[in-house]
Amino acid sequence: MKLKQAFSLAFKSMAQSKMRAFLTMLGIIIGVAAVIVLVSLVGGFSADLSSSFESMGTTTLNVMLMGRGNNTVIEPDEMMELVEENSDLLALCSPVVSVSATVKHGSESISTSVSGGSEDYHQLNNYALSQGRAVSYADLNWRSKVAVIGSYVAAELFDGEEALGGTLKINGDRYTVVGVFEEVDDSTESSSDNVIVIPYTTAQRLGRSARISSYTLAATSADTVDDAVELLENTLFSLTGNEDYYRVSSVSQMLDTVNELTGTLTLVLVGIAGISLLVGGIGIMNIMLVSVTERTKEIGIRKSLGGKRRDIMRQFVIEAAVTSAVGGLIGIVLGVAAAYAAGSLLSMTVVISSGAIAIAFSVSVGIGILFGYSPAAKASRLNPIDALHYE
């Protein structure tokens, strides 16, 4: 029997028993669709996280100093000097002082977090200016009461008025707006546009904080991140004498960790969804065994007319493979549609993976062949005389 004839008989058998064929394929359809939906949603979630981290800059480094039992004070000037002395590895540096505050302008007020930083703060956080200027070195020296605000703050407090040059009160102290950042997200309360930056020296006084425990730095390039981290760790260890007193992290390291976690999550979810494919394979095997029983006399006739064992076996294996392949194709269509529907419903990014589709389809066909082999072997071993007399 030629392959073309075997495939023709397989499709003809499916057409004659449409409901049985559909029920046989159901486990495969559900399994393939589940794999595609889960991989697409997790892939979209991973892409969103990666985009968020990358927007922070893959060269960004964060230093956190812990105060428990540590009397060593690392001044901003020491960190700045370290950057200057290692300009081949480090490019920018800003102390970070966060202060929870009530901000007012006229009758309008909001509660937000005010960030104190240096003249490098806006570059380190990828903020561009739409108006005015950023915090300057002179502002740091003079502890000037100036502020650079995000588009959300400008819209909420100034309500259409010109924000640049205006004044606002932060915890009762009057500050002059010297700059406005360009819109980054969508100017909502929870977005990156809800930001107020003041000189870190002024923020220390505002928050009544004598010491600075957080710094943001930038490596000169993505290739120097690891060397920059090592430099910071060695320097901080020599100053504190205990590695428990500080933490140095990079955005690229956090991104690698996130990708590793989402990769593991994908494998776990695909493994769970793969159980449906296994159940579908068992369903195919059961139906094929029933089909062999029903077609015993047909097999006997074919064998008596010279049909070879390998021809009988090939026919049933191909029939099982075709059934699972069709189920896989239907599962792909339903999976892609369900993934976009779920993404729209959950407001999530959907990333359709061609690799996941190819693997899911290949596995579905492989399962059809694997579970179709036993019924095919049983059919090929039937004695022609016994098969002809079977009722």
Side-chain angles (χ1 to χ4, degrees):
M1 177 185 288
K2 295 181 180 180
L3 283 175
K4 184 178 179 181
Q5 290 177 300
F7 278 104
S8 177
L9 285 171
F11 283 111
K12 187 179 294 184
S13 176
M14 288 175 58
Q16 289 173 349
S17 304
K18 296 182 180 65
M19 182 55 68
R20 176 191 285 185
F22 174 73
L23 292 175
T24 304
M25 293 184 289
L26 192 57
I28 297 294
I29 293 172
I30 294 172
V32 170
V35 168
I36 292 172
V37 169
L38 292 174
V39 170
S40 299
L41 292 179
V42 173
F45 176 69
S46 177
D48 287 342
L49 280 179
S50 297
S51 178
S52 298
F53 279 108
E54 287 172 358
S55 67
M56 296 167 61
T58 54
T59 60
T60 302
L61 309 173
N62 296 299
V63 173
M64 182 66 68
L65 303 174
M66 276 71 76
R68 293 174 298 176
N70 179 20
N71 295 319
T72 303
V73 177
I74 300 175
E75 298 292 344
D77 288 344
E78 293 180 272
M79 294 297 288
M80 301 293 187
E81 185 178 348
L82 178 65
V83 173
E84 291 176 4
E85 292 175 352
N86 298 275
S87 57
D88 56 327
L89 297 178
L90 297 169
L92 304 169
C93 175
S94 174
V96 179
V97 180
S98 295
V99 182
S100 296
T102 299
V103 184
K104 295 182 178 181
H105 172 73
S107 60
E108 302 293 333
S109 68
I110 59 172
S111 294
T112 186
S113 178
V114 176
S115 298
S118 72
E119 67 272 25
D120 293 334
Y121 184 91
H122 68 291
Q123 295 182 64
L124 285 163
N125 290 275
N126 294 322
Y127 283 118
L129 290 161
S130 62
Q131 291 180 290
R133 65 174 179 84
V135 171
S136 68
Y137 183 74
D139 294 329
L140 303 176
N141 282 340
W142 290 100
R143 292 185 172 86
S144 302
K145 291 185 178 180
V146 296
V148 186
I149 63 176
S151 56
Y152 167 78
V153 178
E156 285 293 307
L157 295 182
F158 291 90
D159 193 23
E161 297 178 25
E162 180 64 44
L164 186 64
T167 60
L168 46 79
K169 287 186 176 181
I170 302 176
N171 285 353
D173 293 338
R174 189 180 297 274
Y175 287 73
T176 302
V177 178
V178 296
V180 180
F181 292 125
E182 287 184 358
E183 186 179 67
V184 177
D185 292 325
D186 50 6
S187 292
T188 60
E189 185 177 2
S190 59
S191 71
S192 299
D193 298 312
N194 184 4
V195 60
I196 299 175
V197 180
I198 64 176
Y200 73 83
T201 50
T202 309
Q204 281 182 282
R205 180 178 295 175
L206 181 66
R208 296 178 174 82
S209 174
R211 58 187 295 168
I212 294 175
S213 59
S214 180
Y215 291 87
T216 300
L217 303 94
T220 52
S221 70
D223 295 332
T224 61
V225 168
D226 292 339
D227 291 335
V229 169
E230 184 178 359
L231 169 68
L232 288 168
E233 289 179 339
N234 292 338
T235 302
L236 292 170
F237 183 79
S238 66
L239 291 172
T240 63
N242 193 324
E243 61 183 17
D244 292 331
Y245 292 157
Y246 60 86
R247 290 288 182 274
V248 180
S249 61
S250 69
V251 171
S252 60
Q253 288 174 339
M254 290 187 284
L255 183 58
D256 290 341
T257 301
V258 168
N259 288 334
E260 185 178 341
L261 288 174
T262 53
T264 302
L265 178 62
T266 301
L267 289 176
V268 171
L269 293 176
V270 168
I272 294 172
I275 295 173
S276 297
L277 289 173
L278 181 63
V279 173
I282 295 172
I284 288 175
M285 183 173 68
N286 289 336
I287 295 299
M288 291 302 297
L289 286 170
V290 172
S291 179
V292 168
T293 302
E294 290 179 344
R295 294 159 65 182
T296 299
K297 186 170 287 188
E298 174 194 332
I299 294 169
I301 293 172
R302 290 186 58 189
K303 282 200 149 190
S304 65
L305 293 175
K308 296 180 180 179
R309 179 177 175 179
R310 67 170 179 271
D311 294 328
I312 305 296
M313 189 168 184
R314 182 166 56 186
Q315 177 188 343
F316 282 92
V317 168
I318 287 176
E319 190 171 318
V322 167
T323 301
S324 59
V326 173
L329 291 173
I330 296 173
I332 289 170
V333 174
L334 290 179
V336 171
Y340 280 116
S344 176
L345 185 65
L346 300 173
S347 299
M348 291 179 62
T349 301
V350 175
V351 177
I352 303 298
S353 170
S354 57
I357 291 176
I359 291 172
F361 179 74
S362 300
V363 169
S364 68
V365 174
I367 283 178
I369 295 173
L370 178 65
F371 285 91
Y373 179 83
S374 179
K378 179 182 177 182
S380 68
R381 287 195 297 265
L382 286 175
N383 185 287
I385 296 175
D386 293 337
L388 285 170
H389 285 85
Y390 182 82
E391 293 293 339

